[in-house]
Amino acid sequence: MVSPNVESTTADSTYTFRNLVKKSWAKLVKVINMVKEIGQDDPRRVIHSFKVGLALVLIYILHHFRPSFYGFGDNIIWAVLTVVIVLELSVGATLGKGFNRMLATGLAGALGVASNELATLCGDKGKVVMTSIFVFVIAERVTFMRFSPKLKARYDYGMIIFILTFCLVSLSDVTGHELLEMAYERLLTIIIGSCIAITVCVFIFPVWIGEDLHNKIAGNIEKLADFLEGFGDEYFNNSENTEVAENEKQFLHKYKSVLSSKTSEETMAVLARWEPRHGKFRFRHPWKQYLKIGNLARICAYKIEALSLYLINSKTPYEFRSRIQESCTNISLESGKALKESSLMIKKMCKSSTPNSHVLNAKNAAECLKAVLRTNPWEGADHFEIIPASTVASLLIDIVICVEQICEAVEELASLANFVPCQLLHRGTVQPISDSDGSVHVVNVNIGE
């Protein structure tokens, strides 16, 4: 007969085991969902993972290819480390790291061998002193150079590798011919690893960081345009109790990603300069101009951020707001159209004068708004009620200036990058015209798609 204590212990063990299985399964499902989300967010990450595996397999094959790689022995590990470190998602990042690593290793290796030979001429005690001086001077100078913004942007990784390689070679116990042979083998394996990483990155589903920057700038401008095109109807809507689904107002919040895009844009522009000519992007493409457009877009986004605060809770009665409704609506609508056309210019890489016409309309509407404000349309009203509306009007006038600057910067980009001319960037519909027989003909035109 089984005692009650034994039965209780068995039941507790079974319960604990089931809980452990449930928790483990829940964690596994969570990890699978996370991996799935990462892959769906950017499928290129999945391809990049396979590319890294392929590059390492190529190193392994070369390592066993007799007789070329047999003499390297354990130094082949430097090729493996190089592939893991150098092979990045984008071509620009891979080329930048590969070039930095090869150049820094070659220069630091040669300098390390030379300094080691000079230190050896001073005897055993003199070698310790001279090596210490060489390491201190080189490490101090190169580290100081890393504080230079221009050098840090493009060669920071190379300078780190330079210090590391120089110290490894200078402080090595190996001397003479053996030291030179070791430095040669490591440099050659690093060059081989870098070349394999670059080859795999460039020729197998390449990811061009310059193209990503191009699309990012165009997308940011479009986000600003979406907000401005919808601002007029949203702000001057006198149906205060109207409830609209939040997902239908996403255009009012998309611009916020523009506010924090400075760091990523600067990094992408630096990496894009390493990339060779590809597609419509020629060598020496004006990547700095994208940064100029991005900075102007952020200035506009900050003004939009201030403007959006008045959508949450406007204390100005509608009868006061209605006196500036037409001018403000025209400004926001025409400014949005100008930005949208500029965004299309960047996306399609073609020149157009369409944004200028919308900018001119926005400036005319701004002048009309200034004329209305000079007449003091709210005379006798409570100042606390009219201040929000007058602030909105002032911000819209400032936004017109920002929009004009963005459009000018886009035109400058089109000139520097040699964009091809195009007549129309958007689709249009020809209005129906009645013939004498009473029939009506409608012609749909789709251009630029």
Side-chain angles (χ1 to χ4, degrees):
M1 181 176 181
V2 181
S3 63
N5 292 334
V6 175
E7 292 180 353
S8 176
T9 303
T10 304
D12 292 342
S13 300
T14 303
Y15 179 75
T16 303
F17 178 75
R18 288 179 179 176
N19 283 342
L20 181 62
V21 171
K22 287 182 180 179
K23 290 181 180 179
S24 300
W25 178 255
K27 290 182 179 180
L28 179 61
V29 171
K30 186 177 180 180
V31 171
I32 293 174
N33 291 333
M34 182 185 67
V35 172
K36 184 179 179 181
E37 182 179 352
I38 293 174
Q40 289 178 342
D41 184 52
D42 191 351
R44 299 179 301 181
R45 297 171 181 170
V46 179
I47 299 175
H48 174 69
S49 302
F50 284 101
K51 288 162 68 174
V52 173
L54 175 61
L56 293 175
V57 169
L58 292 176
I59 292 292
Y60 177 77
I61 294 174
L62 287 175
H63 179 47
H64 287 79
F65 186 72
R66 305 297 194 272
S68 301
F69 270 67
Y70 184 81
F72 288 149
D74 293 337
N75 281 328
I76 197 65
I77 194 64
W78 289 97
V80 176
L81 291 175
T82 299
V83 168
V84 174
I85 295 173
V86 168
L87 187 52
E88 296 283 349
L89 177 64
S90 66
V91 174
T94 302
L95 285 172
K97 274 194 171 183
F99 176 79
N100 272 271
R101 190 171 180 85
M102 289 187 289
L103 181 62
T105 302
L107 293 177
L111 188 60
V113 171
S115 64
N116 191 284
E117 291 295 326
L118 289 175
T120 303
L121 298 176
C122 299
D124 293 338
K125 294 183 179 180
K127 180 180 179 181
V128 175
V129 176
M130 292 301 297
T131 301
S132 301
I133 293 175
F134 287 142
V135 170
F136 173 79
V137 172
I138 295 298
E140 179 266 333
R141 294 296 172 86
V142 177
T143 302
F144 184 77
M145 291 170 61
R146 292 181 61 202
F147 288 104
S148 171
K150 292 183 178 180
L151 292 177
K152 187 177 182 65
R154 298 195 69 180
Y155 305 107
D156 185 61
Y157 175 73
M159 288 186 284
I160 293 175
I161 295 299
F162 184 92
I163 296 173
L164 177 62
T165 304
F166 177 79
C167 292
L168 288 175
V169 175
S170 298
L171 302 178
S172 176
D173 294 332
V174 183
T175 57
H177 178 72
E178 293 181 358
L179 177 62
L180 186 61
E181 185 178 355
M182 181 191 70
Y184 167 75
E185 289 181 357
R186 290 190 179 180
L187 174 61
L188 188 57
T189 52
I190 287 173
I191 291 176
I192 291 171
S194 298
C195 290
I196 289 176
I198 292 172
T199 302
V200 171
C201 187
V202 172
F203 293 101
I204 301 178
F205 297 103
V207 176
W208 304 102
I209 195 70
E211 187 175 347
D212 289 348
L213 175 62
H214 180 87
N215 295 330
K216 183 180 181 66
I217 294 296
N220 287 346
I221 295 177
E222 187 173 2
K223 291 174 183 177
L224 303 181
D226 290 339
F227 178 91
L228 291 174
E229 284 186 334
F231 174 79
D233 292 337
E234 190 69 21
Y235 180 73
F236 293 103
N237 184 7
N238 58 351
S239 301
E240 298 181 357
N241 296 326
T242 301
E243 295 183 359
V244 182
E246 188 66 22
N247 56 0
E248 296 181 8
K249 294 186 179 182
Q250 289 298 318
F251 67 91
L252 297 175
H253 307 287
K254 289 181 179 179
Y255 74 91
K256 292 183 178 180
S257 62
V258 181
L259 300 173
S260 58
S261 62
K262 179 179 175 64
T263 303
S264 61
E265 289 175 5
E266 291 178 347
T267 302
M268 294 168 75
V270 170
L271 296 178
R273 295 173 64 183
W274 289 104
E275 294 181 343
R277 179 170 182 170
H278 58 280
K280 296 182 179 179
F281 301 94
R282 57 185 176 85
F283 189 68
R284 294 186 179 277
H285 193 74
W287 300 115
K288 288 185 178 180
Q289 187 65 20
Y290 287 91
L291 297 181
K292 179 180 179 180
I293 298 174
N295 289 332
L296 293 173
R298 269 186 298 279
I299 294 174
C300 185
Y302 282 118
K303 295 185 182 296
I304 287 177
E305 175 78 1
L307 196 64
S308 66
L309 297 177
Y310 295 93
L311 291 176
I312 301 174
N313 184 18
S314 178
K315 297 181 179 179
T316 305
Y318 177 74
E319 56 269 19
F320 293 153
R321 284 183 285 157
S322 62
R323 299 175 187 178
I324 60 171
Q325 178 175 358
E326 183 178 359
S327 298
C328 289
T329 302
N330 288 337
I331 289 175
S332 62
L333 189 60
E334 292 295 332
S335 298
K337 289 181 179 179
L339 290 179
K340 190 151 286 187
E341 295 293 344
S342 296
S343 175
L344 284 172
M345 279 181 60
I346 297 176
K347 286 182 179 179
K348 298 181 180 296
M349 299 186 74
C350 61
K351 297 179 182 179
S352 174
S353 60
T354 307
N356 294 332
S357 61
H358 292 297
V359 170
L360 182 60
N361 293 336
K363 292 172 70 175
N364 292 335
E367 292 299 325
C368 293
L369 180 59
K370 291 178 182 178
V372 171
L373 294 176
R374 291 191 187 100
T375 61
N376 193 10
W378 303 303
E379 185 176 1
D382 188 352
H383 289 177
F384 289 102
E385 292 182 339
I386 65 174
I387 285 176
S390 60
T391 304
V392 168
S394 177
L395 287 171
L396 285 173
I397 293 173
D398 290 340
I399 285 175
V400 173
I401 300 175
C402 292
V403 170
E404 183 180 16
Q405 293 175 342
I406 293 173
C407 293
E408 290 176 353
V410 173
E411 285 187 359
E412 186 177 355
L413 172 64
S415 177
L416 294 173
N418 296 324
F419 286 180
V420 296
C422 58
Q423 295 181 352
L424 291 175
L425 292 174
H426 56 82
R427 67 181 64 182
T429 301
V430 179
Q431 296 296 326
I433 302 176
S434 299
D435 291 340
S436 57
D437 59 355
S439 60
V440 178
H441 303 277
V442 179
V443 180
N444 291 326
V445 181
N446 293 299
I447 300 177
E449 296 187 333

